Amino acid sequence: MPHAASHTTEEHHEPTGFWSRYIFSQDHKVIAIQYTITALVVGFVGLFLSWLMRLQLGFPGEFNFINPNNYLQFMTQHGMIMVVYLLTAILLGGFGNYLIPLMIGTRDMAFPFLNMLSYWIYLVSVILLLAAFFVPGGPTGAGWTLYPPQSVLPNASPGADWGIRLLILSLAVFVASGTMGGLNYVTTVLQLRTRGMTLMRMPLSVWGIFIASILALLAFPALFVGGVMLLLDSLFGTSFFIPVVNVLGQQLGREGGNPILFQHLFWYFGHPEVYIVILPAMGIVSDLLSTHARKPIFGYKAMVISIAAIAAIGFIVWAHHMFVSGMNPYFGFWFAIATVIIAIPSAVKTYNWLLTLWKGNLHLNTPMLFALGFVSTFIIGGLTGLFLGNVIADVPLHDTYFVTGHFHLVMGVSAIFGIFGGLYHWFPKAVGRMYSEALGKLHFWVTFVGSYLIFFPMFGEGFLGLPRRYFSFKGIESFSPIIHDLNVFITIVALAVGAAQLLFVFNLIWGAWKGRKAEANPWRATTLEWQTPTTPPPHGNWGAQLPVVHRWPYDYSLPDAPQDYIPQTTSQRS
């Protein structure tokens, strides 16, 4: 059993200074909160940018400060913020940091100083990202996929100079931060589990974060390499991705590059990135469903195997994003088949969630509602992905709002529901107080219903052929008049749902300051983090002695047990 003997009796003492305790802290819990707050702040920037785009689409021409150039800039920054700087950062940096040491029974991460450094490097990447709004030309408007040649050729897109360069630098710094974090998470899980905590006794939250960290370590280098070559093309006139280009009959001074190569590098990162985000959310939701349904998770081993299978297959499906790029049809056939195959382990997880809920004693509190919302949006979003995994259907749908609806439901909304559920679930442990359950449920229902009202009409718009990434549809008479009405409706709902997120912010701030004192284990959960000597946990988590694990993490509602849950630290049922 891999564990460090020195961790069994060592006591960690609280840092005494303000800077070492709250700012440059090496405590994984403080670092997790720093990641979470930073990611949420930058996420609200991304939300505000989506509002600006929706205002233009719903009420074209009514807002003079939104023009074609900055619309493309808003779209690029919104996509990059939400996928990388919010979802990836909060699920790995936030939940990964907070949950792994507590759930496996260790005092901290394997490399606490490196852990602290990873957060500050992440913050630098955020600053570089947002700095693009203040440089000449503004941020890049090349789309969040940054496809060359238009992303780096002069005047080909907004922000083609300092905008694209700052974004690439920001991504490179983020990859450095993510690599530090990923190495820390993987090493901690493999080397610092407490006595009795075998791999097959780990909660599924840890499994999701652990495998997603491995994915990140393998996928981020492709983005890093592609970004460096793109930066060289922009700064020094190299031609890694720039082919022969003629502008008004005049050939530019570069040739020999292959823009499709960048697409391969980007999506070799980009599709595993979907699972870097969704696997931790799947693990969190699995724990929430089991805890609040008071039932053991159904098919634990199958759930672990399906997480690993999704991760492995996720590396061989990237080019289904490129069916319209002119690739060889034989490659298209292979990637379509691989896309269908990856649906199998995803379906296994879905069936197991539903069977966990079957005949359970469902406690429909706020974390459970968001977990159920995740299952719903993941199913609907996943089913729409089957359209896009088929070459024949993808070609007419690829550049339409059908893709926008699919992508946002299956990755964006689902992952955010997992994040909200997790934040509400572990909030009492992190701050020692409870939030308002009434506000939490109101937040859920507005967000859940609103998400479907926003993204479900986009499938219809996609079937009607409405192209995505357009600034305006004025003067295009071939589209049905209903499209304008749908865009107005989507915009109004999007503004309302975005504003409802202030309920979430207020609820957490109010709960942290004024909420009633939380019990040590308010959800009557079995996993180790709820068994710490104090709530919130002290520095070092466990006091003088680490816990010893005797059972798996899902012993709920056993027929002859004295209560409806048995903690992992309990050696017998009495």
Side-chain angles (χ1 to χ4, degrees):
M1 180 69 232
H3 65 88
S6 61
H7 280 240
T8 57
T9 58
E10 176 188 358
E11 288 194 59
H12 284 216
H13 300 285
E14 290 277 1
T16 54
F18 172 83
W19 289 94
S20 61
R21 187 171 184 179
Y22 297 110
I23 307 301
F24 298 106
S25 174
Q26 296 183 37
D27 185 343
H28 71 98
K29 300 180 293 297
V30 175
I31 294 169
I33 293 171
Q34 290 174 324
Y35 261 111
T36 299
I37 292 174
T38 306
L40 288 176
V41 169
V42 75
F44 272 95
V45 174
L47 174 65
F48 180 71
L49 295 175
S50 73
W51 273 3
L52 296 178
M53 290 186 289
R54 285 312 321 176
L55 286 174
Q56 166 58 28
L57 292 170
F59 309 99
E62 296 294 322
F63 300 90
N64 293 330
F65 64 90
I66 305 176
N67 56 52
N69 277 357
N70 60 30
Y71 177 85
L72 294 174
Q73 292 170 323
F74 299 156
M75 179 187 67
T76 302
Q77 294 290 92
H78 165 78
M80 196 62 76
I81 284 172
M82 292 306 197
V83 172
V84 177
Y85 297 87
L86 170 62
L87 296 179
T88 305
I90 200 170
L91 284 162
L92 293 185
F95 286 99
N97 259 305
Y98 196 85
L99 295 181
I100 288 176
L102 287 170
M103 282 188 151
I104 68 172
T106 190
R107 301 195 182 282
D108 211 310
M109 288 291 177
F111 311 110
F113 180 81
L114 193 68
N115 200 25
M116 179 266 289
L117 198 61
S118 75
Y119 165 71
W120 288 102
I121 291 177
Y122 162 64
L123 183 61
V124 169
S125 75
V126 170
I127 293 170
L128 287 170
L129 174 81
L130 299 181
F133 286 102
F134 306 101
V135 297
T140 179
W144 81 279
T145 55
L146 308 180
Y147 283 174
Q150 83 276 9
S151 61
V152 293
L153 288 181
N155 304 316
S157 63
D161 292 322
W162 285 109
I164 184 69
R165 293 164 190 170
L166 279 173
L167 180 52
I168 294 171
L169 284 172
S170 173
L171 287 172
V173 172
F174 183 90
V175 170
S177 168
T179 301
M180 292 179 181
L183 289 171
N184 227 339
Y185 308 149
V186 171
T187 305
T188 303
V189 169
L190 293 179
Q191 295 297 320
L192 296 186
R193 302 189 307 278
T194 193
R195 185 174 290 108
M197 178 61 77
T198 63
L199 287 174
M200 296 309 288
R201 284 179 173 174
M202 293 197 310
L204 289 169
S205 291
V206 177
W207 271 111
I209 295 165
F210 172 61
I211 293 183
S213 300
I214 296 173
L215 273 178
L217 292 173
L218 296 174
F220 279 155
L223 175 66
F224 184 83
V225 169
V228 168
M229 290 193 288
L230 195 63
L231 186 63
L232 293 174
D233 279 0
S234 173
L235 280 173
F236 301 114
T238 58
S239 195
F240 290 105
F241 305 123
I242 310 301
V244 173
V245 177
N246 285 284
V247 178
L248 299 177
Q250 183 175 359
Q251 182 176 324
L252 299 185
R254 288 191 261 179
E255 61 182 3
N258 185 353
I260 302 298
L261 172 61
F262 181 84
Q263 293 191 32
H264 281 289
L265 289 170
F266 181 89
W267 287 116
Y268 186 80
F269 147 80
H271 198 81
E273 167 67 10
V274 173
Y275 303 114
I276 291 169
V277 167
I278 211 69
L279 290 180
M282 285 176 166
I284 289 167
V285 165
S286 300
D287 283 349
L288 266 55
L289 291 176
S290 180
T291 300
H292 299 289
R294 316 309 297 166
K295 274 189 65 180
I297 197 76
F298 185 89
Y300 173 83
K301 288 184 179 179
M303 295 287 265
V304 172
I305 293 170
S306 65
I307 290 176
I310 289 170
I313 303 171
F315 274 106
I316 57 174
V317 298
W318 78 87
H320 69 211
H321 297 272
M322 300 170 54
F323 285 155
V324 297
S325 68
M327 72 167 65
N328 188 299
Y330 291 107
F331 287 123
F333 172 79
W334 158 251
F335 285 107
I337 294 296
T339 301
V340 174
I341 291 172
I342 204 171
I344 296 172
S346 300
V348 168
K349 299 192 73 63
T350 302
Y351 295 143
N352 285 9
W353 289 327
L354 297 178
L355 289 169
T356 300
L357 294 171
W358 180 253
K359 295 187 177 180
N361 178 17
L362 306 188
H363 293 194
L364 295 178
N365 48 37
T366 303
M368 182 62 153
L369 289 173
F370 275 105
L372 294 173
F374 171 93
V375 175
S376 169
T377 53
F378 181 75
I379 291 173
I380 298 299
L383 289 175
T384 57
L386 295 177
F387 290 80
L388 303 175
N390 185 304
V391 182
I392 301 293
D394 181 73
V395 169
L397 290 174
H398 184 82
D399 283 319
T400 73
Y401 267 84
F402 189 95
V403 172
T404 306
H406 158 73
F407 179 77
H408 279 81
L409 269 186
V410 77
M411 183 184 178
V413 175
S414 293
I416 287 173
F417 278 6
I419 289 168
F420 282 144
L423 288 175
Y424 281 116
H425 181 77
W426 283 291
F427 180 82
K429 175 55 60 175
V431 303
R433 294 183 179 273
M434 296 298 294
Y435 52 84
S436 166
E437 188 67 30
L439 278 181
K441 288 181 176 178
L442 178 61
H443 173 223
F444 167 75
W445 284 112
V446 174
T447 306
F448 178 73
V449 175
S451 295
Y452 274 113
L453 293 179
I454 292 168
F455 296 112
F456 218 76
M458 292 184 184
F459 296 126
E461 290 182 330
F463 279 125
L464 291 173
L466 188 71
R468 55 190 172 127
R469 300 174 176 169
Y470 274 40
F471 169 72
S472 175
F473 303 101
K474 273 189 173 182
I476 306 178
E477 298 179 357
S478 58
F479 294 132
S480 168
I482 196 175
I483 284 179
H484 175 70
D485 297 332
L486 283 175
N487 276 333
V488 172
F489 175 77
I490 292 170
T491 297
I492 292 171
V493 176
L495 293 173
V497 171
Q501 306 317 304
L502 296 176
L503 289 172
F504 163 73
V505 174
F506 172 80
N507 200 2
L508 294 196
I509 294 175
W510 177 87
W513 288 96
K514 299 291 186 180
R516 64 176 173 85
K517 188 172 175 61
E519 302 172 28
N521 187 1
W523 312 124
R524 294 177 298 141
T526 61
T527 44
L528 289 184
E529 77 274 19
W530 301 104
Q531 321 304 324
T532 55
T534 62
T535 296
H539 188 70
N541 297 336
W542 303 104
Q545 193 68 34
L546 291 179
V548 178
V549 171
H550 298 280
R551 57 184 66 244
W552 77 319
Y554 302 107
D555 272 335
Y556 291 103
S557 301
L558 298 186
D560 54 347
Q563 52 190 1
D564 74 342
Y565 74 104
I566 305 177
Q568 285 189 279
T569 52
T570 303
S571 59
Q572 53 189 6
R573 293 184 180 181
S574 58

